[in-house]
Amino acid sequence: MIRKRSGTRGGGGPARGRLRAALGGATTVLLTATALAALPQTTAHAADTLGAAAAEKGRYFGAAVAANHLGEAQYAATLDREFNSVTPENEMKWDAVEPNRGSFSFSRADQIVDHAQGKGMKVRGHTLVWHSQLPGWVSGLGATDLRSAMNNHITQVMTHYKGEIHSWDVVNEAFQDGGSGARRSSPFQDKLGDGFIEEAFRTARAADPNAKLCYNDYNTDGVNAKSNAVYTMVRDFKSRGVPIDCVGFQSHFNPNSPVPSDYRANLQRFADLGVDVQITELDIEGSGQAQATNFGNVVRACLAVTRCTGITVWGIPDKYSWRSSGTPLLFDDNYNKKPAYDAALSALGGTPGDPGDPGGPGDPTAACTATYSTAEQWSGGYNGKVTITAGGSPISGWSVNVTLASPQQVVSVWNGSPTSNGNVMTVRSTWNGSLAAGASTSFGFTVNGGTTPPPQVGACTAS
């Protein structure tokens, strides 16, 4: 059942359990803040999922998600295991959430957000102002009504998810393709003029001061007329104090539009303006080693730019891609990991397994899931609980990454063995590593330094 959001993280966050974790007994491992700080600053082994490996690099690795696929077991299991951020593919677009003026429907988007939060994943918001997927009533408005409708739409949607979205695509695809560098014709551009983008960003900042505000576009991956026009706009915004925090690069590649040789340099020049850069809709048509090389190059380019904060692939298995005939994703139609998956994971510093291993339900290899809940909460902190559940086969051990936002600090951990690497804590099983198929255990931790945002719990790695 979708909960009602109040517009604040405290009032609208997921329902969390109120069970108190046991802090005593022979099976409890309790570490003081001093002991935790003294732990080794490297993990014992390389991560073997995309989200966990990205988290160890201080980044996210996400996927575009469709609500109507979440009921498919392999889809949900692959999402939960591999990714630590999600983007609703269509469920937050204007026609989905405000089909009639002033009448908002968030149920499908809420389904994705609820699922992500239940698994400790971050959420990207996509998208607030875009010329496409607009309900017909928007295009029919005059300038005054359109401005009012645009600002109300931004405010209502962002308020509904206030505190729950790490980055919003505030304005999407506002520039033309080709060599002109001109703005794209749209109801907003044609009736409100160039100033509509600035107005949208200022409205967004007022609606949620803590969310990252992004401009997002395609065919801007290398230095060209279109990316130069976006660059000029961002530079102008930064010089005048217009609130923009990030630029999204969609990065839809194919043999006729390959990863440009200046991809990394282009990301860096935007980062040098003082904004984060995000790869927001990555897919690369092709197969085999050529596709794998391209995915690896994209990941390495992001890692080379300090302000490249994360990567989102636009879908999970090829069969659900918007251009499925080009097989552009990391998993094939049966959720088998492709060579491109191994290349992306290796570029992140992770350790690939069997390239043909689907790693999903019914797979004979070890698998597990990690689910987060808040056990106790007070004004300055909380107790967190992570439940580990074995997959379709018994496991002999597990590990999970927990990422905290500054100034939060873990002061104790029980029922698990932690190591730390910056703001990422890796917790491994101690006495509770051996689980029968489908069986569960849990570990807990105490955090001081605030209650929001909640910790980001990565995918579970089993052995």
Side-chain angles (χ1 to χ4, degrees), residues 120-145:
M121 302 175 186
K122 295 181 177 181
V123 182
R124 291 194 82 254
H126 176 80
T127 178
L128 295 169
V129 180
W130 186 32
H131 68 274
S132 185
Q133 292 183 237
L134 281 174
W137 65 266
V138 177
S139 299
L141 298 177
T144 299
D145 277 349

Side-chain angles (χ1 to χ4, degrees), residues 38-99:
L39 290 168
Q41 294 299 300
T42 57
T43 56
H45 59 83
D48 55 8
T49 66
L50 298 166
E56 290 183 353
K57 300 292 187 180
R59 290 163 170 84
Y60 64 84
F61 202 103
V65 172
N68 63 325
H69 296 320
L70 287 174
E72 182 182 334
Q74 281 187 292
Y75 185 95
T78 306
L79 169 65
D80 297 347
R81 183 185 72 248
E82 293 291 344
F83 300 99
N84 59 0
S85 175
V86 303
T87 301
E89 189 168 357
N90 291 295
E91 289 80 357
M92 286 184 177
K93 292 173 181 174
W94 198 316
D95 62 349
V97 297
E98 193 184 3

Side-chain angles (χ1 to χ4, degrees), residues 12 42 98 109 115 125 130 171 176 207 219 343 349 361 372 418:
T42 57
E98 193 184 3
H115 182 95
W130 186 32
V171 176
Q176 293 182 15
N219 284 352
Y372 173 78

Side-chain angles (χ1 to χ4, degrees), residues 226-248:
K226 187 174 184 180
S227 66
N228 285 341
V230 176
Y231 180 89
T232 298
M233 179 189 73
V234 175
R235 182 177 60 190
D236 172 62
F237 281 9
K238 295 298 290 184
S239 71
R240 295 190 295 108
V242 179
I244 185 169
D245 305 304
C246 42
V247 176

Side-chain angles (χ1 to χ4, degrees), residues 254-265:
N254 59 56
N256 296 320
S257 179
V259 181
S261 59
D262 57 358
Y263 186 62
R264 172 184 167 181

Side-chain angles (χ1 to χ4, degrees), residues 153-461:
H153 180 81
I154 294 169
T155 300
Q156 294 300 322
V157 176
M158 291 188 70
T159 299
H160 181 78
Y161 292 110
K162 188 173 184 179
E164 300 182 278
I165 305 294
H166 70 80
S167 304
W168 273 105
D169 291 332
V170 178
V171 176
N172 198 50
E173 301 176 5
F175 287 83
Q176 293 182 15
D177 291 323
S180 70
R183 298 287 184 90
R184 177 192 298 274
S185 176
S186 72
F188 308 102
Q189 180 67 37
D190 298 345
K191 297 176 182 179
L192 304 181
D194 287 353
F196 89 87
I197 300 180
E198 176 176 341
E199 185 168 354
F201 274 86
R202 292 191 183 279
T203 300
R205 176 67 86 224
D208 187 350
N210 295 318
K212 296 283 189 179
L213 307 181
C214 306
Y215 175 79
N216 189 54
D217 217 325
Y218 68 96
N219 284 352
T220 56
D221 306 292
V223 177
N224 55 38
K226 187 174 184 180
S227 66
N228 285 341
V230 176
Y231 180 89
T232 298
M233 179 189 73
V234 175
R235 182 177 60 190
D236 172 62
F237 281 9
K238 295 298 290 184
S239 71
R240 295 190 295 108
V242 179
I244 185 169
D245 305 304
C246 42
V247 176
F249 297 82
Q250 294 185 18
S251 298
H252 298 296
F253 299 123
N254 59 56
N256 296 320
S257 179
V259 181
S261 59
D262 57 358
Y263 186 62
R264 172 184 167 181
N266 189 49
L267 296 178
Q268 186 64 61
R269 70 165 178 156
F270 276 88
D272 290 343
L273 291 176
V275 293
D276 293 340
V277 293
Q278 300 175 358
I279 299 169
T280 55
E281 303 183 20
L282 177 65
D283 52 20
I284 305 176
E285 292 187 337
S287 62
Q289 188 54 50
Q291 184 184 47
T293 298
N294 282 322
F295 266 101
N297 288 341
V298 169
V299 172
R300 282 186 288 272
C302 178
L303 293 178
V305 177
T306 302
R307 295 198 69 155
C308 183
T309 57
I311 297 170
T312 299
V313 288
W314 204 245
I316 300 176
D318 284 333
K319 65 182 177 180
Y320 294 142
S321 168
W322 66 295
R323 47 182 187 165
S324 58
S325 62
T327 62
L329 297 172
L330 300 176
F331 298 88
D332 69 15
D333 290 355
N334 296 313
Y335 297 92
N336 293 307
K337 300 170 183 175
K338 296 162 61 176
Y341 171 94
D342 281 354
L345 182 57
S346 294
L348 288 166
T351 302
D354 177 5
D357 172 19
D363 186 59
T365 59
C368 58
T369 59
T371 304
Y372 173 78
S373 63
T374 298
E376 296 273 338
Q377 184 170 304
W378 53 94
S379 60
Y382 57 90
N383 288 333
K385 177 183 177 182
V386 177
T387 299
I388 307 297
T389 304
S393 302
I395 64 174
S396 59
W398 49 262
S399 67
V400 175
N401 286 340
V402 178
T403 303
L404 301 174
S406 178
Q408 295 181 13
Q409 293 183 330
V410 173
V411 296
S412 64
V413 178
W414 55 95
N415 296 349
S417 175
T419 57
S420 63
N421 184 8
N423 66 331
V424 179
M425 174 181 68
T426 300
V427 180
R428 296 185 174 83
S429 54
T430 51
W431 58 272
N432 53 353
S434 296
L435 295 174
S440 297
T441 187
S442 65
F443 69 88
F445 51 93
T446 298
V447 173
N448 285 342
T451 60
T452 58
Q456 173 191 324
V457 178
C460 182
T461 300

